[in-house]
Structure formats: C-alpha cells, structure tokens
Amino acid sequence: MAVRTIEWRNGSVVMIDQRLLPMREVYRVFRDHREVARAIKDMVIRGAPAIGVAAAMGIALGARSLRPGDLSRDFERLCRGFAATRPTAVNLFWAIQRMRRVFTRNQHRPIDTLRMLLEREALAMHDEDVAANRRMGEYGAALIEDGATILTHCNAGALATAGYGTALGVVRAAREAGKRVQVIACETRPFLQGARLTAWELKRDRIPVTLITDNMAAHLMQRGKVSCVVVGADRVAANGDVANKIGTYGHAVLAHRHAIPFYVAAPISTVDLACARGDQIPIEERPVREVSHVFERQVAPSGVKIANPAFDVTPSELITAIVTERGVARQPLGRTLARLAAGTASVRAARAERKPERRREARKERRH
Amino acid sequence: MAVRTIEWRNGSVVMIDQRLLPMREVYRVFRDHREVARAIKDMVIRGAPAIGVAAAMGIALGARSLRPGDLSRDFERLCRGFAATRPTAVNLFWAIQRMRRVFTRNQHRPIDTLRMLLEREALAMHDEDVAANRRMGEYGAALIEDGATILTHCNAGALATAGYGTALGVVRAAREAGKRVQVIACETRPFLQGARLTAWELKRDRIPVTLITDNMAAHLMQRGKVSCVVVGADRVAANGDVANKIGTYGHAVLAHRHAIPFYVAAPISTVDLACARGDQIPIEERPVREVSHVFERQVAPSGVKIANPAFDVTPSELITAIVTERGVARQPLGRTLARLAAGTASVRAARAERKPERRREARKERRH
C-alpha cells in the first residue's frame, strides 16, 4: 500500500514522522495548528509539495478556533505562523496564498461555512497534488529509456508530496509503462533523506535501488553507470534556475561534464515567476547539529565551526528539462515556463502578495 | 603538541585509534604483526603514507619472531600479509618493497642483525615521511595566497602520515610562513575522516576550520567562498591521474568549473610509474556497513543494496599541480612527475616487483 504522508482525519492532521524513518514507522496526530507549524520547521514532514499541503491543512486546523471579532487579523497571524517555518520552498507561500484567497472571498459568510471552505481547499490541494504528480509522471516517463539507471538526490517521492512523488513519480510512471529502470539514491547528508526515505520508499515498492553516499555520484558517472539524473525542486525561478536540496547543483555540474541528461520534476506551484533568477531565492541555513550529529551520535569535535545551507541553486543552463504537470519545459526554460505557468491565478496572486514575506526572510538570511 | 599517529616504542607499534576520534583519544599497543595488518585493514590507521609506515613497522615486528630455517619463505609470507590489507594506496607496496630489499641484502647476516636492520629501515621511513611532508609544505605554501580559504577532502594531515601531513602540511607551512589561511573540511562520508580527523586535528592546532558535508562544496564554490582545493593522494599514475578518497574527483570537476586551482600534495612514494593511467588503479570496495551505519547507528533500511567504492580517480587534466617533496609538478604532469621520480631506486624496484600483488588485487576487485 502507498505510504500516507499526510492526511486530514476527523478534524486533525495525521503525518508519518519522517525523522524516525526508516527504523520506525510512527504516525503523529496534530490537533493544534502551532504543532503543525512546528512539525514543518522540525522536518517531521518535508519536501516542497508536502510542506504546502501541511501548511494548508494547518491553516484549516487553526481556522477551527477562529472566533468572530478580529477574524481577519487572527487569520493573518495564523498564516504568518506558517510562512515563518521554512524560507526556501515556494509551495509553502503558494499554499498559504490559496488559503488566504478562500478566506478573503468568504470572510463575510457564517464562520462554520468559512471553516468548512478552508478545510475543503486544503483537501483539494492534497488531491490536486497527487493528480499533478501522476501527470508529471506520465510526461517524465516518456523521457526515460528502458533499462535506465536513474540517479536521484534527497527524497522527491511519495514522502515529499501528498503521494506518488515528483522525481520518484517519474520513476514509478516509467515502471508502470513497462520500462525496466533502477534508481541510485544519494544518501543526502546531513539529514539523510536519500538513505532514510528514498531507499525506504523504493524498497517498499520493490523498485530496484542502490544507496550511495553523495560523493560517489561523480565516480559512478565517470564509469558510465548513470543514465540520467532526476530530482525535485523547492523553487524554480522565472529563468529556470532551480533551488533544491544541497548537493543538487554539484550533481548537475557532474552530469553536464559526463553528458548525462539532468531532469527536474516539479509542479507548477513550485515555479516562482516573481523571482527572476536563482540567486534571489533565500537559502535556509539549518541548525549545525544536523551536521555535527547523526541522530544522537556526535561525529565532529565539540565546538567546531559548521556551515549548514539546506539548499543550493542549479543554473538553468545545466538543466535538460523541467517536467511539470502541464508538460515538459525545455530550453530556453524561462520562456517555456512562462507559457506553462501562464494563467495560473495562484501564481499571479502569489507574485503580488508574497513580497512582505520575502523581505522578512531576506533579513533572517543575513543574520546567519 | 603534535599528535603521534604511529610510533615504534620498546619493540611494539603504538597507534592512535582513528576510528574512535574525535570523541576518544585512545592509543593502541601492538606486539603481533597480524594485529598491525588487521589494524590497517580495519582503519585503526589510514592515509597512504601512514599505511606505508605501519606496514614497515609491522614487518619489523614480524621479523622479531622469524627463526632461522625457511627464513626467506617466512619473510615473504609476512610481506604478503601486509600486501593483502588495502589495495589502492601504493605507499603500502612501496614500503613492503623497501623492507624486502633490506631483507634480501642482509638475509645472510646473523638474525639479530637482520632484525635490527629491518627495524632501522622502518624507523627511517617514519622519519623520512615527516621530513618529506615538511619539504612538501614549503613547496606547497608558496602556492597559497595570504587570506586563502582552502577546501580539503578526507584527512591528509598528521593523522594520515607519520606527522605534519601532506595537504594539511601545506596548510601548516602556509601558516608558519605568516599567511592567514583557513580551511573548509568536507566531512567525507562514509568514514567521516574530514569531520572526525581533519576538524579535530586542525582545531587542536588552532587553525581556523569550517566543517561542511561533502555536497556543500559546490554551493560554496559557486558563491566564491573557496580559494583553492588541496587534497592528498593514495596513488598517482604515471600520467598524473590521481586516486584519492571517494569524492575527490567530484571536487576536481567542480573546481574546474569555477576556475579554482586544484592541488594534490603527495610524496614521491605515492607516484606509481608502473601504472600508466588512473583507470588501472584498483579501487577498493569496502564493507556496506560503513554506508548503512554511522558508528553503531543504522541510517538506511535493512537489506538495501549499497555501493561503497573507497576511492575515485581524478584525471590529470583537472589537476593544477602536484606538490611533492622534490618540487611542484605542473602540466604536463606526466613528464614532470617522471623527471621528479627519476632515480628513485624504490620506484624502480616497486615497478619491477609489485606485479604479482597487482594481479591478485585485480582478481579480488572483480569479485566485488
């Protein structure tokens, strides 16, 4: 059975705790929106599309305790709580913006109706995400040759989305189309999403997978053992630059040197037309303990200086194609993305209204 | 005080157990040559030059229990025990060859004299290694600019040698020459030599160091935060291709893309003129548990397929210069290395006599 990454169940949000995988499969039940925000920040749930759905469900949960009065102010505070959790993945802001629109249009209606509409929107986003992943999978599978060995980084699978996955959705769809494909999963230090989540998720689905440390990718490419690279994205700039898990840029440079196609699979909600270039994307700096410790085990000398940028930016020129649920964007990526994203109300809205958040993040960024 | 990586003390070999660093500083005393061979295989000691010295001391230790009779056969068995420990670092075979020469020349002499001469040879190799590192440091320091940020991979420091270090010897010499330099240490999965050993060794010497995961190097280079890369080597082929810890090749490709100088610091004993190109160097495949576990902590699903090549090969064309104790080899590396290594009796001898070992390693290699 497919893993249930996040669900709305009887007025609560249920998530598998991804920090405990692969050793323990624990589902957590959240009844307070602050706990959901904390779960996003602490990476109980992660992956750009999954974060978006979690924020939407968290807001729907928070809306249950809204009282008539300063409704608008309280709702805005609720949204800001989620906007402050993680700065890089744009799906978070996109999801918050969709919830804001539902609120704005319906705040005059009875509060029970408003709550129901917010809940319905969050559930719609969940289902739309799975549907988008399936369409992305179909488009992406056409790019994969029979017998391919696909290298992937981090986890852009069912666990990073509402289900099925973006990069791993492409893998799943290729197999459903009868292609024999196998995956090389990079472990993805420091948080080990590749070792803990991708290897677990693929093994569970009986998809052949070989785990490596991140620094082995170059050697395997040199020896001709990688057919293509497929990764997800946390934010795609208007020119096609892609922010994704730290290490992605390195893989892209290596793929380029070895003439290996480099694909990004990401829903349109990940495209940020308001962001012209990748160097404008805020890069989250995470706690140093993620590097100095592996789970509870200390691996570096106490007090040593550590850097922990959680994402990097792959320039558009290194990307062969971006697979979206509306089709495959090829070079020049900027132009194709603009066409694919055109008419997305949410994209336009997000562009107009996300500016205050971006300024706050930029300030936070400088403090690191 | 400088760390004592390996010492000969009262007829025993003493090593710091590098598997326990940085949390515990434990020195192990070996009185049996088989234990020394096991210590090399299990990475109590590691680093190409240190492995060479350990093998020489191990052979000197083994010689103490040689009895007249089948002296030659027993000595050869002793040597083969060490040759079977690790296949990639050529210093191991070079060291064994030096011990063999002393044996061959002196096997007719009284056994006590023979033992004493073998012990003296092992101690000479220890001291020569420190001296070579210091000369390498002087040559290398001239390449480093004041204010430089030097990225290094794995540990090519005092802990990888008899003392001072190769890559970190260059860093130490640059500081002794009054240059303000700082180091970015890549943690070096799976065995974490960067996090556990390089960070520890530099912090102990108050040399500014920032620890990162291996996959952050690309991002830091892109943001202009790396002045040059300096690494060690486990074997340098005649054409200048360099086998070094897995991940080195990736850093070289990245440095090339960002026009960052890429230096290798290695003693002449690491140059294998009998090996024409890097693709002829046997690459050790190590136990999968090094990837699936961090210390005792399991981080990957049980039973998942894992690859664990311990080294990779950086092609000569990506290397700016190789720093040796005889001077700096620049492009074309092959020609310069041949000149620097010329007249090294040990190099000639190793070339002639290491062939049987190489065939055995190649067979082992295929079995993986």
Side-chain angles (χ1 to χ4, degrees), chain A residues 2-328:
Chain A
V3 58
R4 290 159 306 167
T5 307
I6 180 164
E7 279 188 316
W8 181 266
R9 204 188 297 162
N10 307 326
S12 62
V13 179
V14 183
M15 301 178 202
I16 186 167
D17 189 338
Q18 302 195 20
R19 300 168 307 178
L20 306 180
L21 287 172
M23 304 312 291
R24 290 169 61 205
E25 194 173 331
V26 173
Y27 292 82
R28 300 209 180 276
V29 181
F30 299 93
R31 293 193 178 82
D32 185 313
H33 65 93
R34 283 160 300 208
E35 289 171 10
V36 175
R38 167 60 59 188
I40 295 172
K41 202 175 180 68
D42 291 350
M43 295 172 72
V44 172
I45 192 165
R46 27 61 54 201
I51 288 173
V53 172
M57 287 188 177
I59 290 169
L61 201 60
R64 293 164 76 94
S65 44
L66 287 178
R67 295 281 165 264
D70 271 336
L71 202 59
S72 187
R73 193 201 59 192
D74 292 350
F75 185 79
E76 192 48 35
R77 186 179 296 158
L78 177 60
C79 290
R80 288 185 191 282
F82 283 92
T85 51
R86 306 230 20 220
T88 304
V90 75
N91 313 58
L92 176 71
F93 305 104
W94 166 86
I96 295 169
Q97 201 49 37
R98 272 184 66 164
M99 297 300 277
R100 269 205 192 99
R101 272 194 303 145
V102 171
F103 177 85
T104 307
R105 286 183 189 161
N106 300 287
Q107 56 181 314
H108 61 281
R109 301 175 78 168
I111 190 129
D112 282 348
T113 308
L114 178 59
R115 286 176 188 145
M116 185 269 289
L117 290 170
L118 286 166
E119 183 179 319
R120 190 184 287 173
E121 184 74 359
L123 292 178
M125 286 164 72
H126 180 282
D127 296 347
E128 287 168 24
D129 186 54
V130 177
N133 288 343
R134 293 215 166 251
R135 283 197 300 276
M136 242 182 281
E138 281 173 36
Y139 283 119
L143 303 171
I144 308 295
E145 289 179 13
D146 188 28
T149 301
I150 302 164
L151 184 135
T152 191
H153 190 65
C154 196
N155 173 268
L159 287 165
T161 60
Y164 203 66
T166 54
L168 298 190
V170 171
V171 172
R172 289 193 167 92
R175 285 181 58 91
E176 287 164 17
K179 294 178 183 177
R180 287 155 302 178
V181 298
Q182 55 173 314
V183 174
I184 294 174
C186 296
E187 66 172 3
T188 318
R189 277 283 286 155
F191 211 65
L192 294 168
Q193 292 94 333
R196 298 190 302 101
L197 310 179
T198 296
W200 179 80
E201 173 178 335
L202 292 179
K203 193 162 178 287
R204 201 168 185 268
D205 277 6
R206 300 176 197 281
I207 297 172
V209 57
T210 303
L211 175 65
I212 61 170
T213 61
D214 304 319
N215 58 16
M216 292 173 190
H219 174 69
L220 295 182
M221 288 186 191
Q222 187 189 47
R223 302 268 158 132
K225 294 186 177 165
V226 177
S227 316
C228 65
V229 180
V230 185
V231 296
D234 287 81
R235 193 184 299 208
V236 181
N239 72 340
D241 292 352
V242 168
N244 191 45
K245 181 52 55 194
I246 190 78
T248 303
Y249 170 52
H251 293 317
V253 171
L254 290 165
H256 185 72
R257 177 177 168 89
H258 298 95
I260 294 168
F262 186 92
Y263 301 117
V264 174
I268 284 292
S269 57
T270 310
V271 179
D272 184 3
L273 294 180
C275 192
R277 297 188 320 273
D279 58 7
Q280 296 168 1
I281 300 173
I283 301 294
E284 178 180 11
E285 185 83 23
R286 297 208 34 102
V288 299
R289 198 185 154 91
E290 289 180 0
V291 174
S292 65
H293 290 64
V294 175
F295 290 92
E296 67 294 340
R297 183 57 150 106
Q298 185 174 341
V299 298
S302 302
V304 72
K305 193 178 164 196
I306 288 171
N308 188 15
F311 302 92
D312 61 23
V313 173
T314 300
S316 170
E317 76 213 53
L318 296 179
I319 299 165
T320 311
I322 299 180
V323 181
T324 77
E325 73 274 33
R326 296 188 181 184
V328 176

Side-chain angles (χ1 to χ4, degrees), chain B residues 157-175:
Chain B
L159 287 166
T161 61
Y164 204 67
T166 53
L168 297 190
V170 171
V171 171
R172 288 194 167 92
R175 284 180 60 90

